[in-house]
Amino acid sequence: MTKQLSIYVYGAEQLCASCVNLPSSKETYEWLQAAIERKYPEQPFKIEYIDIFNPPEDEAKKEFANRVIEEDLFYPLVLIEDKIVGEGNPRLKTIFSEMEKYGYHSAS
């Protein structure tokens, strides 16, 4: 059985300055969730959206949200486990490639 991956999408209501013509962070989160469910049906994963300006109480998530702000990282920022796999305009190919390192297999 494949280990359940934790995928985090860090973002904000407002678009980052370099991402003006791109979807919002929340839209990217929803799109990514649907794409992963289609690609890896019945394979466990947890995906969570985290607002960088209003993060949850979890200390690690708060710290990373603060890092996104302080280091001017592009968002939405996609994190799988502890690895950044996408910034600004995340690429499915990169995200899928990282998931496959953990044993995920494409349905098609």
Side-chain angles (χ1 to χ4, degrees):
M1 176 120 180
T2 306
K3 173 191 182 239
Q4 177 175 310
L5 284 181
S6 294
I7 304 166
Y8 301 101
V9 179
Y10 286 82
E13 290 285 325
Q14 71 183 63
L15 297 176
C16 76
S18 300
C19 308
V20 175
N21 294 319
L22 298 175
S24 72
S25 297
K26 196 76 159 183
E27 290 169 331
T28 298
Y29 157 77
E30 292 166 353
W31 163 78
L32 185 58
Q33 182 175 21
I36 293 171
E37 287 172 352
R38 274 193 310 275
K39 179 89 170 172
Y40 305 109
E42 299 176 29
Q43 295 176 64
F45 71 93
K46 178 182 81 171
I47 186 166
E48 183 178 346
Y49 175 77
I50 299 166
D51 187 316
I52 60 175
F53 296 111
N54 190 20
E57 289 301 312
D58 180 284
E59 200 57 42
K61 292 173 186 168
K62 255 189 203 178
E63 285 178 21
F64 197 84
N66 196 41
R67 180 178 163 202
V68 172
I69 295 166
E70 287 184 1
E71 295 181 19
D72 287 327
L73 299 174
F74 295 117
Y75 53 86
L77 183 141
V78 180
L79 198 68
I80 293 181
E81 297 301 313
D82 291 323
K83 183 177 180 183
I84 295 172
V85 294
E87 278 187 84
N89 187 16
R91 304 276 180 229
L92 283 177
K93 185 175 182 179
T94 305
I95 292 164
F96 292 163
S97 175
E98 185 66 21
M99 291 181 75
E100 288 168 6
K101 291 177 185 175
Y102 288 89
Y104 284 72
H105 300 287
S106 174
S108 52

